Amino acid sequence: MMKELKVIEPFFNLEIGDKLTLTEDGKSYVFTDSDSSVDKTESGDSKFSFSATFKIDSVYAQELIKSGYLEEVDYKKNDTFRNVFDEIDIMLNRYNEELDNLDRDFDDKPACLKVEKGTVLKNLIKALSHLRELKK
């Protein structure tokens, strides 16, 4: 069982890149987030603080991995050299696939979301294609 899981698809209040850590007893994964700020106004200071803990058991975590929401963090995997142009090709394939499936994925969502996602994907593809052309 891995000590950390990384969010690769947003779910509940978790965003891509958030990491869940295995508890000491090995029965669950926890994500903790907190934030605070102080706003100074004429009428005095306004303080804001926020703290949240998200906890799932390890069985449900495995289901989320199989469903494509989480992935295991393998630090050994990141120690090896990775060619940036290979990564660009992987990302281009993923974004082109998402663009091809846009009609199906946004079947039940407002058209404006589909247009926005299509525009973002096309711009990402355009930028990555330009970067790939820099390869000598």
Side-chain angles (χ1 to χ4, degrees):
M1 198 173 320
M2 299 303 285
K3 292 190 177 195
E4 272 193 336
L5 300 176
K6 182 170 75 170
V7 176
I8 55 176
E9 279 295 320
F11 67 100
F12 299 124
N13 287 336
L14 298 177
E15 299 175 359
I16 294 174
D18 288 342
K19 292 184 180 175
L20 290 93
T21 307
L22 186 64
T23 56
E24 288 184 24
D25 63 7
K27 295 181 180 179
S28 57
Y29 288 89
V30 176
F31 171 76
T32 305
D33 190 18
S34 60
D35 192 14
S36 63
S37 67
V38 176
D39 293 327
K40 300 194 181 277
T41 62
E42 292 177 14
S43 60
D45 292 348
S46 172
K47 296 179 182 180
F48 164 80
S49 66
F50 165 81
S51 180
T53 301
F54 179 80
K55 186 176 183 179
I56 55 173
D57 68 14
S58 57
V59 174
Y60 186 55
Q62 294 303 316
E63 290 177 22
L64 290 170
I65 291 170
K66 290 177 187 172
S67 300
Y69 290 98
L70 297 173
E71 72 178 359
E72 297 175 340
V73 176
D74 185 5
Y75 290 105
K76 293 177 187 174
K77 177 176 81 172
N78 295 335
D79 292 342
T80 60
F81 173 78
R82 291 167 49 181
N83 185 331
V84 69
F85 294 104
D86 292 341
E87 293 298 315
I88 288 173
D89 289 337
I90 290 168
M91 292 173 75
L92 277 169
N93 288 337
R94 182 176 16 178
Y95 294 151
N96 278 312
E97 186 177 312
E98 283 185 39
L99 192 59
D100 292 341
N101 295 327
L102 205 57
D103 288 332
R104 185 195 63 193
D105 293 343
F106 284 84
D107 206 12
D108 57 344
K109 295 182 176 98
C112 62
L113 293 178
K114 177 182 169 185
V115 170
E116 182 178 353
K117 174 96 179 208
T119 302
V120 169
L121 288 171
K122 287 175 188 173
N123 287 335
L124 286 169
I125 291 167
K126 191 176 183 181
L128 288 170
S129 296
H130 174 72
L131 291 173
R132 185 175 60 184
E133 290 174 6
L134 298 176
K135 184 177 181 182
K136 293 183 181 187

